[in-house]
Amino acid sequence: MRDRDEAGRPRSSRPRDEYGRPLPRGEEGVPRIPDDYAPDAEEALEEARRLLAAERPFHAHEVLEARWKTGPADERELWQGLAQVCVGLTHIQRGNPAGAVALLTRGAARFSTYGSRRPYGLDLRALARATDQIVVEIDSGAAEAHEAISRIEKRLRDVHDHD
């Protein structure tokens, strides 16, 4: 049975490996993002970049998910899209191409609502193109987790003037 908080929401208390896979209770896992983590936008982006550079997209997803849950409602599509892209990268690491394609595609689609705007200096069009290229590589059997993660991490670092 899954752990729940006082309000009945599921908690993720099981330890996880470096790819975010649940480990048996009592085993030592990698450090997790606390359930009450509420980063501001810049903190979330910097921590996600750091985790992607360490090839830990599952944990980057947790940071971005924390921002989407605690940030402004009008930014939900941005943070949810970024989190879904990171889960897609996690699926590449885990050898699940169908899951990777589904999450990468879903995540990139959320960026279209921003048009040419660059929230927090992010070039979402370039990020969506990079994500689309990874999907093409998955479909052709040529996707490599390290390269895909590096490409997305680079796009998150390639920031310009804010909106």
Side-chain angles (χ1 to χ4, degrees):
M1 174 173 275
R2 191 164 186 190
D3 296 325
R4 301 209 174 255
D5 67 12
E6 306 80 40
R9 290 183 303 269
R11 291 289 189 170
S12 301
S13 62
R14 280 183 64 186
R16 302 246 177 191
D17 71 8
E18 67 274 11
Y19 298 130
R21 292 180 293 229
L23 296 170
R25 292 188 192 284
E27 282 200 24
E28 185 77 23
V30 298
R32 300 283 309 279
I33 304 303
D35 286 330
D36 61 350
Y37 183 54
D40 66 26
E42 296 298 335
E43 180 184 355
L45 286 170
E46 189 52 42
E47 185 64 7
R49 291 176 190 122
R50 185 188 71 75
L51 289 163
L52 287 172
E55 297 197 12
R56 294 178 61 191
F58 177 81
H59 300 88
H61 134 268
E62 289 188 317
V63 167
L64 297 164
E65 182 178 63
R67 178 63 187 168
W68 121 42
K69 290 180 176 180
T70 61
D74 64 339
E75 293 181 6
R76 181 180 171 97
E77 290 295 304
L78 170 66
W79 301 108
Q80 194 167 23
L82 292 170
Q84 287 175 324
V85 167
C86 287
V87 173
L89 296 171
T90 300
H91 282 295
I92 296 171
Q93 283 182 317
R94 294 178 180 178
N96 177 5
V101 167
L103 270 298
L104 290 167
T105 302
R106 204 175 305 152
R110 292 185 183 279
F111 304 147
S112 66
T113 62
Y114 285 85
S116 62
R117 290 181 297 143
R118 293 180 180 231
Y120 303 101
L122 296 172
D123 186 343
L124 296 178
R125 288 181 172 175
L127 185 58
R129 284 191 303 273
T131 302
D132 291 345
Q133 183 58 42
I134 294 166
V135 168
V136 168
E137 292 167 4
I138 292 168
D139 288 342
S140 69
E144 200 276 319
H146 171 76
E147 178 57 36
I149 294 167
S150 294
R151 195 174 309 149
I152 297 303
E153 188 261 342
K154 179 184 182 310
R155 288 289 167 217
L156 289 181
R157 285 201 183 280
D158 187 21
V159 296
H160 305 280
D161 292 333
H162 293 274
D163 266 346

